[in-house]
Amino acid sequence: MASSALTLTEYVKRPGTGTVGKPIRIHANFFEITQLPNINVTHYDVTITPDVPPIVNRKVYEHFMTLHRISDLGGARPVFDGRKNIFSPKVFPFESKTFEFVLPEDEAPKGVTPRRPPRPFRLKIKKASEINLEELHRFLAGKAAMSNNILTAIMALDVLIRHKPAMLYANVGRSFFTPDGAQQLYGGVEVWNGFYQSARPSIGKYFRRMLINLDVAATAYYQSGPLTELVVKMVGARSVDDFRRPLNDRDRSKLEKSLKGLLIKVIHRGDVKRRFKITKLTPTPASSTLFAKENSKTDVASYFHETYGRRLLYPFLPCVVTGRDVFLPMEVCHVVEAQRHIKKLNEKQTADMIKFTCQPPHVRANKIKDGLKILNYQDNEYIKDFGMKIAKEMAMVNARILPPPTISYHPTSKMANFVPRDGAWNLKDKRVASGATLGSWGVVVFGTERDLPMTFTNGFIRELIVTCTATGMNIPNKQPPISYANPHGDIEAILKAAWLKAGNAVKSQPQLLLCILPTTGVPLYAEIKRVSDTVLGIPTQCVQMSHTRSPKIQYCANVCLKMNVKLGGVNSFLSGNQTPFLTQKPTILFGADVSHPAPGDMTRPSIASLVGSMDHKAARYAATVRVQTARTESIADLGGMVVELLKTFYQTCGQKPDRILFYRDGVSEGQFAEVLRSEVASVRAACTTLDARYKPTITFVVVQKRHHARFFPMGKEDSDRIGNCKPGTVVDTGIVHPFEFDFYLQSHAGLQGTSRPTHYHVLYDENRFTADALQEFTYKLCHLYARCTRTVSMVPPAYYAHLVAARARFHSRGERWSDTESSEAGGDESTYLAVKPDLLKVMYFM
């Protein structure tokens, strides 16, 4: 990999930088560390007992510093990560020492159930190592490979820049948040704004350097204040009076699930502000919730009146249960502030969240500058003590705008070949490259004829057939049988009946069912896909009822694109001379992803998906999917999945691929080594399973969307109408890895907000790609996403793998889906049904 004796990286060394495209200058949200500490930093292990959350650890540490910084630490100002590590610019006058003290607290800290104050703590400090920052300087100069010492040095810089904000604000990972300017979401949740910061090594114009990546961040918190107000918002009621009619079991259970684990403080005992964690709700209101009191039974409402002289305003509300069966009326409870909402947001909350966080580039850039003022690195006493200085201006970076490819449709189209402008086009004067024939199909309207009269249904089908035909599909059967069905009925029986009706109408195997849905809700859609994918083995095309009443050509054309590929057709392609990597030798593109269950979900598994291209145009893909142990990142049965798709490729193309390009989504930097080690070996083993002499060349590229790099064009001529960089903007200098092969590519035209480029990092490369070859090839592929006429933000194989994994979530039996896209009855691995084999060979997941 490295040409010299020094192996700088276990991955792929950068083969040079790209030159293709129009050179431009952009700002990126990185700030250069203009002066790195030139001292030895001492790393200490710290153990705090009893074991408490990081938020309390920081309070303990703060109190310890007040007591002992001058007397015991020689006046040093060390920084603390909130868990186990302290980094100091000065050596302490001891190797190991234990301190004991009491943390004074009249009120327990935010986010923790109180033990009765004050609490004694023991803090043990032990020297772990000396970090010679000279090694980091050597690494940045390309004279030393990454080592544990360098990783610890970068971690020390990370802890240094985060230490002060973490002491002052609510802290989540590498971000901190403040309630200033919080925005209300639906359901008693609010969005807090904050900032993300991370120290990263990079490559400058003339030398390598360290940068601080600074970005805006937002996360959801529970609304603090009276619990009754939160509960009203959670159930979508108008006021507390709506609860005079008791909640039904389903709503009570839903509310209980939402409140479980929430911290509250009581307000009925004067200065005694005890805090409690909600465990459940009582099934009865406070006026009839009984408990034993001195050999007799009394209800909660009467007890509060007798004991505290407090007549309850809302005795009809259930009580919250805390600790050892303590019953508390809701009206004496206040929600403790700064409690993060970790559960998945529902559809309405997500829409609100996007609305609040979606900012055009110039607004985001200004907010990042505001963050810089809040952080005030220049006057940060900790950063000063370490002798570090940080630039006040965003980094200026060289970028290039890659030229778009020529896209080809059917030769009989008026515009058979054309070059798209600004990352978007339409189907006007174009026919799909290979139109499928739809002879046997049926329509199911989930609703009554009052919801959608037969005339409207027929009108929509007519318009859809006209558009599909104009776009190059062949639909000889222009009168498919139509059924009306109850959206809350037995969906499996309904679809089986529609399948039989469709088959009997033309005496041939049905190819597709068109389903007209009354809403965008998840439950019906999920059940339709489970039945069609795993029981019937037939593609379904779902459309919204609201779009069928006065069908628009553009909508019908988009539906046509999806139907065509589900039936084995091809929408568009790039001519062979534009993609020599695909056409010179038989080549397969793989896309892989692992989808994990939502936070807090302890029952569902993770789902691994793999797609593979099935022709030399990379226009058609086959898929395979596996269920595996929850939250494991490496794909457990990758070998078996690769074998499956290589066999399908051979059956389709009549030859084995000589080259493999593997795009892997969803891997963070910390997992690179493990994923590379296990997954490249699995692909290699799969090939030798088929034939001991079969050794195709493999390139393995990680695709990352979850990062905080953002680009801001400097010239108006280099930006789009919103102010984002133009599609095809690529960056492989300035903010990338010092010597590994990675680049950022913003391939799409953003519709709203600030576009997020995709980061591609090459971990293994036997195909010896140059920077230009891989960047151009990847950008060209982004024009071939089959279900829209736009360039997409992520290379299609990875995008398709993501769709396959998301679809497989719906394949579990016995799920009770809610509109939050999470279900109330978790399915373990055994409940997931396999997709029918014939369906896996077409793009059913579109």
Side-chain angles (χ1 to χ4, degrees):
M1 295 203 183
S3 52
S4 63
L6 172 68
T7 304
L8 281 176
T9 173
E10 60 180 307
Y11 309 125
V12 182
K13 203 164 172 243
R14 191 182 301 285
T17 53
T19 57
V20 172
K22 175 193 170 189
I24 61 166
R25 299 274 279 161
I26 61 169
H27 279 122
N29 59 336
F30 291 79
F31 296 82
E32 186 178 352
I33 298 178
T34 51
Q35 184 178 304
L36 263 173
N38 216 356
I39 54 171
N40 278 6
V41 174
T42 314
H43 176 202
Y44 293 92
D45 273 339
V46 60
T47 309
I48 295 174
T49 44
D51 193 18
V52 286
I55 194 166
V56 190
N57 278 341
R58 291 190 191 280
K59 290 213 173 279
V60 172
Y61 176 79
E62 196 173 12
H63 189 60
F64 159 74
M65 289 298 287
T66 307
L67 297 175
H68 298 282
R69 186 171 84 85
I70 305 297
S71 57
D72 292 86
L73 304 185
R77 266 202 197 89
V79 292
F80 175 46
D81 72 349
R83 296 182 189 276
K84 296 285 292 175
N85 301 287
I86 285 176
F87 297 98
S88 175
K90 293 180 183 173
V91 181
F92 298 160
F94 56 81
E95 289 280 314
S96 177
K97 195 166 183 178
T98 301
F99 301 86
E100 294 190 355
F101 51 90
V102 166
L103 181 67
E105 46 185 349
D106 47 12
E107 220 179 272
K110 293 174 193 169
V112 64
T113 311
R115 297 161 179 84
R116 295 192 180 274
R119 283 188 280 173
F121 280 93
R122 178 183 291 140
L123 187 143
K124 184 184 177 185
I125 295 176
K126 187 182 178 198
K127 186 175 177 180
S129 64
E130 194 91 5
I131 304 168
N132 184 345
L133 285 177
E134 179 56 34
E135 200 175 331
L136 176 58
H137 288 268
R138 284 172 53 75
F139 167 76
L140 292 171
K143 293 175 183 170
M146 180 59 85
S147 66
N148 282 337
N149 192 29
I150 293 166
L151 282 171
T152 311
I154 294 170
M155 179 169 117
L157 298 180
D158 247 343
V159 174
L160 171 60
I161 58 174
R162 291 209 298 268
H163 175 80
K164 194 172 179 182
M167 289 301 202
L168 297 172
Y169 306 102
N171 196 56
V172 181
R174 287 186 159 134
S175 304
F176 65 89
F177 298 94
T178 159
D180 298 344
Q183 304 259 23
Q184 297 294 315
L185 293 184
Y186 176 79
V189 179
E190 55 190 26
V191 185
W192 286 23
N193 295 309
F195 296 94
Y196 164 95
Q197 43 176 358
S198 166
R200 305 189 64 78
S202 188
I203 185 165
K205 192 172 180 184
Y206 305 109
F207 53 88
R208 296 177 177 94
R209 58 191 179 168
M210 288 296 298
L211 301 171
I212 307 290
N213 180 201
L214 178 62
D215 193 23
V216 295
T219 194
Y221 281 81
Y222 287 100
Q223 181 185 309
S224 57
L227 179 61
T228 48
E229 288 182 14
L230 179 68
V231 164
V232 165
K233 289 182 177 177
M234 276 181 167
V235 299
R238 288 186 302 275
S239 72
V240 185
D241 286 332
D242 288 5
F243 287 89
R244 288 183 189 278
R245 194 165 60 239
L247 289 170
N248 61 41
D249 285 349
R250 187 169 178 272
D251 287 345
R252 198 187 66 82
S253 166
K254 215 168 169 182
L255 179 61
E256 182 174 85
K257 198 175 168 191
S258 300
L259 291 173
K260 193 174 179 182
L262 201 63
L263 285 166
I264 50 165
K265 58 186 174 190
V266 291
I267 56 163
H268 65 288
R269 295 177 61 186
D271 292 336
V272 183
K273 297 280 194 284
R274 287 292 308 279
R275 289 166 187 245
F276 300 92
K277 191 176 272 187
I278 298 175
T279 54
K280 57 183 176 182
L281 293 181
T282 57
T284 48
S287 57
S288 54
T289 299
L290 301 173
F291 67 98
K293 182 200 170 198
E294 296 167 6
N295 304 323
S296 66
K297 287 200 164 187
T298 184
D299 65 85
V300 173
S302 305
Y303 172 79
F304 266 74
H305 187 224
E306 290 161 16
T307 311
Y308 301 108
R310 186 182 189 110
R311 196 178 291 281
L312 295 186
L313 296 171
Y314 313 120
F316 48 83
L317 284 176
C319 296
V320 297
V321 184
T322 71
R324 297 195 185 110
D325 280 351
V326 175
F327 301 136
L328 293 169
M330 285 188 182
E331 64 193 77
V332 303
C333 303
H334 270 216
V335 179
V336 173
E337 64 176 18
Q339 293 186 75
R340 253 184 97 211
H341 182 282
I342 297 173
K343 299 181 179 90
K344 190 171 173 128
L345 296 175
N346 65 30
E347 217 172 294
K348 189 163 176 19
Q349 289 168 333
T350 304
D352 287 349
M353 183 78 148
I354 290 168
K355 200 162 64 189
F356 293 139
T357 56
C358 180
Q359 299 149 342
H362 68 278
V363 175
R364 194 182 190 106
N366 288 333
K367 284 207 169 178
I368 290 168
K369 287 170 189 166
D370 292 343
L372 199 66
K373 287 176 193 156
I374 293 169
L375 287 163
N376 192 8
Y377 293 131
Q378 278 65 35
D379 296 329
N380 181 318
E381 61 275 28
Y382 298 96
I383 290 175
K384 278 182 179 173
D385 274 15
F386 274 76
M388 188 162 92
K389 290 182 181 169
I390 297 161
K392 295 179 184 175
E393 298 297 327
M394 268 191 204
M396 275 196 292
V397 182
N398 290 325
R400 289 169 289 118
I401 302 176
L402 299 177
T406 299
I407 301 174
S408 298
Y409 281 86
H410 197 276
T412 60
S413 309
K414 275 190 192 171
M415 289 183 72
N417 303 291
F418 75 104
V419 178
R421 284 189 57 193
D422 301 325
W425 61 99
N426 58 39
L427 284 175
K428 189 167 181 275
D429 297 331
K430 301 172 194 74
R431 293 166 66 81
V432 291
S434 167
T437 297
L438 180 57
S440 177
W441 58 307
V443 178
V444 185
V445 181
F446 283 95
T448 63
E449 284 202 50
R450 184 184 290 173
D451 300 322
L452 190 72
M454 186 60 89
T455 49
F456 283 107
T457 306
N458 281 322
F460 172 71
I461 292 166
R462 225 175 10 255
E463 184 61 53
L464 183 65
I465 291 170
V466 166
T467 308
C468 287
T469 307
T471 312
M473 280 181 72
N474 178 26
I475 306 184
N477 176 8
K478 294 187 171 37
Q479 291 183 312
I482 298 167
S483 316
Y484 282 80
N486 178 2
H488 305 290
D490 181 344
I491 306 304
E492 188 166 328
I494 290 165
L495 292 178
K496 279 179 176 172
W499 182 82
L500 281 170
K501 199 170 173 184
N504 290 336
V506 290
K507 302 288 182 285
S508 73
Q509 183 83 358
Q511 296 166 272
L512 178 120
L513 289 177
L514 179 75
C515 300
I516 300 177
L517 276 52
T519 64
T520 56
V522 177
L524 176 58
Y525 179 83
E527 185 62 0
I528 288 170
K529 294 304 181 186
R530 180 190 73 79
V531 174
S532 62
D533 294 348
T534 69
V535 180
L536 297 176
I538 177 177
T540 45
Q541 180 58 54
C542 294
V543 294
Q544 288 301 314
M545 197 176 282
S546 56
H547 290 295
T548 60
R549 295 186 179 98
S550 55
K552 292 187 171 54
I553 291 176
Q554 182 63 52
Y555 180 77
C556 291
N558 288 343
V559 172
C560 163
L561 288 176
K562 296 171 78 169
M563 283 168 55
N564 191 46
V565 290
K566 286 175 184 178
L567 295 166
V570 172
N571 290 342
S572 61
F573 64 97
L574 303 179
S575 57
N577 60 342
Q578 297 184 88
T579 52
F581 181 73
L582 282 175
T583 51
Q584 285 167 352
K585 290 181 180 179
T587 301
I588 190 167
L589 307 181
F590 282 124
D593 190 18
V594 178
S595 149
H596 300 296
D601 185 334
M602 296 320 204
T603 53
R604 277 187 204 76
S606 287
I607 291 172
S609 59
L610 183 72
V611 301
S613 61
M614 292 292 137
D615 58 20
H616 66 277
K617 294 172 180 168
R620 288 173 51 244
Y621 286 78
T624 181
V625 68
R626 298 285 189 279
V627 171
Q628 63 183 44
T629 311
R631 297 185 179 82
T632 45
E633 190 47 63
S634 288
I635 300 176
D637 186 31
L638 183 62
M641 297 165 85
V642 169
V643 165
E644 208 176 294
L645 291 184
L646 286 175
K647 284 181 177 173
T648 309
F649 185 94
Y650 187 79
Q651 289 158 6
T652 310
C653 305
Q655 51 194 342
K656 293 195 287 270
D658 291 342
R659 297 194 283 213
I660 292 174
L661 173 50
F662 197 112
Y663 287 104
R664 174 68 156 91
D665 187 18
V667 181
S668 63
E669 283 172 52
Q671 296 160 327
F672 279 6
E674 179 204 338
V675 165
L676 176 68
R677 190 181 62 250
S678 70
E679 296 190 3
V680 171
S682 295
V683 175
R684 177 78 63 226
C687 296
T688 51
T689 302
L690 293 170
D691 180 345
R693 294 161 304 171
Y694 177 42
K695 290 191 172 120
T697 49
I698 299 169
T699 296
F700 193 96
V701 184
V702 168
V703 182
Q704 294 175 305
K705 287 283 284 182
R706 291 190 174 181
H707 59 76
H708 283 268
R710 298 292 183 275
F711 300 154
F712 306 97
M714 289 170 66
K716 235 184 177 147
E717 66 283 0
D718 300 324
S719 65
D720 65 12
R721 59 188 175 79
I722 303 172
N724 280 305
C725 289
K726 287 189 171 175
T729 300
V730 68
V731 172
D732 62 358
T733 62
I735 56 167
V736 291
H737 193 279
F739 36 72
E740 289 173 9
F741 187 5
D742 70 326
F743 58 92
Y744 289 95
L745 172 63
Q746 190 201 301
S747 47
H748 65 300
L751 291 167
Q752 57 177 6
T754 306
S755 293
R756 185 198 314 235
T758 298
H759 184 230
Y760 295 90
H761 202 127
V762 183
L763 301 191
Y764 191 81
D765 182 27
E766 292 179 330
N767 289 304
R768 298 179 177 272
F769 273 102
T770 63
D772 278 329
L774 186 60
Q775 289 164 12
E776 276 205 283
F777 182 66
T778 301
Y779 179 50
K780 284 171 180 172
L781 287 178
C782 291
H783 292 73
L784 291 181
Y785 183 63
R787 67 176 181 184
C788 65
T789 52
R790 303 180 68 85
T791 55
V792 285
S793 63
M794 183 163 68
V795 70
Y799 208 143
Y800 294 151
H802 177 76
L803 295 180
V804 170
R807 171 67 69 83
R809 287 259 162 238
F810 298 146
H811 294 163
S812 173
R813 270 192 309 260
E815 294 271 21
R816 292 200 304 276
W817 290 95
S818 70
D819 286 332
T820 57
E821 284 196 30
S822 61
S823 89
E824 292 154 29
D828 61 15
E829 294 184 35
S830 62
T831 66
Y832 284 79
L833 302 164
V835 178
K836 292 290 180 184
D838 285 350
L839 215 48
L840 288 168
K841 292 175 186 172
V842 294
M843 295 166 75
Y844 70 93
F845 47 85
M846 299 302 281

